[in-house]
Amino acid sequence: MIPFVDLKTQYQSLKPEIDAAIQKVIDDCAFVHGKYCEEFENNFARACEKAICIGTSNGTTALELALRAYSIGPGDEVIVPSHTFIATAEVVSILGATPVFAEIDESTYTIDPKDIEKRITPKTKAIIPVHLYGQAADMDSILEIAQKHNLKVIEDCAQAHLAKYKGKTVPVGEIGCFSFFPGKNLGAYGDAGAVVTDNPELAKKISQFLNHGREKGEKYKHTSIGNNYRMDGLQGAILNVKLKYLQKWTDHRRAAAQKYRDGLSAPTSTNTALPQGGSVPSSAAAPTFAANSEANPLLLPFEADYAYHVYHLFVLRSPRRDEIIKKLRENQIECGIHYPIPLHLQPAYANLGYKEGDFPVTEKIVKEIFSLPICGEVTDESIEKVISAISI
Ligand SMILES: Cc1ncc(COP(=O)(O)O)c(C=O)c1O
């Protein structure tokens, strides 16, 4: 079996360090937040080139906290891509605001800035671009639109630890939210997340809310109504060990992506048409399929000129996606679809009144995308097996 993400091998390679870190938390009874989380927060802030990192219970609560810090609530609209994990929109709904879905760019699969502009109304308060699959959204354009219309920008970095936009580590703007779900590029041993920012005012609001509205250092004085969204001490200690290896794992992911590219584009000359990097084409020039073999039209992931892609996911496109997935599964290769149902067509959002045909690019690509195994431990042998299973 070739696993999609190999957490067992990763643990075996770090076992003595991880076990010692866990034991220390237990010995110190530092179970809830505490010094091991603080150590991790300091190191992760540095890794993100931000002044402040606040550990949270998961990536969803991190997003919710960021929206709360901007006082987003009932009557407000927040623009989010329809093509993302539901948490991006869910937090908007949790706060009583309305998610307004936007189309994606067909090359990068991230939110299309041109479509954002069309969806702005007097009620719009914020945009949540998602750095999907490990590649940053087109942030200059997004920040320019936000500035013009006085909107907040909250970057969903859940899939983009150490990703860069024009050489700058994400988040590019004022605030970014991360998930450390176990399968993420930096994963905890349970749920965890973080908000990073340079803005101490936002950080103060977030730190208070996630800890029952407590004043710093005051156990039973509550200046506001908050909640319990704190990071676990064990998760902080584990993440702090794993953070040291994140760049090495990222290098490995990028090298694996290149091996997939080389292997999958080798067979025919038509593959010179496969996009491997460059400026984001205008939507008029949608990427074209090239044949990996006669029977297998494939489209490799596009790397924008501005991007340092960290390949949380290696996502291909093919009109014969379902047959390819069947073949991969027959060959004991795990694969996935991220994501098969766009948010505007989710039953949970039926009340918003979107319909099939509202987002043609999103609706087209969700029928064609599939994700191959990729992680810091994926072996050359596994990559070769995946390539030959697809190329049969
Ligand atoms: C794009 C995106 N946003 C938000 C989340 C939510 O993170 P979590 O699962 O840690 O709550 C995820 C994680 O699955 C994600 O992929």
Side-chain angles (χ1 to χ4, degrees):
M1 168 70 77
I2 298 178
F4 192 65
V5 179
D6 193 353
L7 294 178
K8 283 188 183 160
T9 300
Q10 189 193 68
Y11 171 59
Q12 286 310 321
S13 74
L14 303 177
K15 193 174 178 345
E17 253 188 297
I18 294 273
D19 289 0
I22 290 173
Q23 193 56 53
K24 248 173 145 181
V25 175
I26 298 171
D27 288 343
D28 292 352
C29 298
F31 299 121
V32 178
H33 196 248
K35 63 179 178 181
Y36 298 107
C37 285
E38 278 169 25
E39 221 176 290
F40 168 69
E41 287 166 339
N42 291 336
N43 290 332
F44 193 65
R46 210 168 302 126
C48 297
E49 300 167 14
K50 286 282 180 229
I52 309 164
C53 166
I54 304 152
T56 63
S57 48
N58 56 63
T60 309
T61 50
L63 283 165
E64 185 190 321
L65 287 160
L67 290 175
R68 279 186 184 278
Y70 286 127
S71 305
I72 286 162
D76 296 336
E77 292 178 355
V78 179
I79 299 176
V80 303
S82 178
H83 183 58
T84 177
F85 182 62
I86 193 164
T88 314
E90 212 171 19
V91 290
V92 178
S93 310
I94 286 167
L95 292 174
T98 305
V100 172
F101 296 118
E103 185 60 286
I104 50 165
D105 174 87
E106 192 167 355
S107 302
T108 61
Y109 309 137
T110 59
I111 195 164
D112 180 353
K114 292 185 293 300
D115 199 57
I116 292 176
E117 283 219 272
K118 291 184 203 151
R119 308 205 177 257
I120 294 171
T121 74
K123 292 182 179 173
T124 310
K125 290 281 152 42
I127 308 164
I128 312 183
V130 181
H131 302 318
L132 198 71
Y133 305 153
Q135 174 158 247
D138 181 2
M139 287 309 296
D140 278 353
S141 310
I142 294 166
L143 292 171
E144 196 183 308
I145 293 167
Q147 198 171 18
K148 189 166 131 198
H149 297 272
N150 194 23
L151 306 176
K152 303 299 182 191
V153 176
I154 296 131
E155 289 165 61
D156 184 338
C157 307
Q159 303 188 1
H161 315 72
L162 302 189
K164 292 189 176 89
Y165 175 83
K166 296 189 177 171
K168 184 174 183 332
T169 306
V170 300
V172 179
E174 187 170 50
I175 197 160
C177 303
F178 287 86
S179 164
F180 304 120
F181 183 77
K184 294 289 195 273
N185 288 24
L186 179 61
Y189 282 8
D191 279 311
V195 181
V196 300
T197 183
D198 282 326
N199 183 331
E201 301 274 303
L202 290 177
K204 189 172 173 212
K205 286 185 192 168
I206 290 169
S207 304
Q208 269 198 8
F209 188 90
L210 69 68
N211 197 13
H212 299 293
R214 276 182 184 130
E215 287 273 337
K216 200 174 164 68
E218 295 264 3
K219 193 165 181 188
Y220 293 118
K221 185 173 174 197
H222 308 274
T223 26
S224 56
I225 297 298
N227 208 323
N228 172 3
Y229 290 170
R230 295 175 302 230
M231 183 186 266
D232 232 53
L234 284 168
Q235 304 310 341
I238 290 163
L239 287 165
N240 206 30
V241 170
K242 290 179 69 170
L243 181 57
K244 289 187 278 181
Y245 302 94
L246 181 58
Q247 186 58 59
K248 186 182 100 179
W249 293 332
T250 304
D251 294 343
H252 191 87
R253 283 174 183 272
R254 285 171 54 80
Q258 191 54 48
K259 284 171 194 159
Y260 275 136
R261 279 184 198 287
D262 294 344
L264 290 168
S265 59
T268 72
S269 58
T270 51
N271 288 330
T272 50
L274 287 171
Q276 298 218 0
S279 311
V280 178
S282 75
S283 46
T288 47
F289 285 93
N292 163 252
S293 71
E294 274 299 291
N296 252 353
L298 274 182
L299 197 63
L300 291 166
F302 175 84
E303 267 192 33
D305 269 350
Y306 63 63
Y308 173 81
H309 197 318
V310 296
Y311 288 100
H312 173 56
L313 295 167
F314 189 85
V315 177
L316 292 169
R317 256 176 82 185
S318 170
R320 306 187 63 184
R321 185 260 311 270
D322 294 344
E323 288 164 59
I324 297 174
I325 286 186
K326 191 161 166 272
K327 227 169 4 171
L328 289 168
R329 292 194 174 140
E330 280 165 7
N331 283 277
Q332 310 294 311
I333 296 164
E334 286 185 350
C335 53
I337 300 174
H338 301 89
Y339 298 91
I341 307 173
L343 298 186
H344 71 281
L345 299 178
Q346 287 288 353
Y349 279 126
N351 62 317
L352 296 180
Y354 291 94
K355 58 183 188 318
E356 191 111 26
D358 284 345
F359 297 98
V361 176
T362 295
E363 289 167 29
K364 178 168 60 173
I365 71 122
V366 299
K367 295 190 183 86
E368 297 178 339
I369 49 173
F370 62 105
S371 318
L372 298 182
I374 196 160
C375 60
E377 294 71 31
V378 66
T379 63
D380 285 356
E381 195 193 345
S382 296
I383 292 171
E384 276 155 30
K385 277 190 189 152
V386 175
I387 291 167
S388 28
I390 293 179
S391 304
I392 293 165

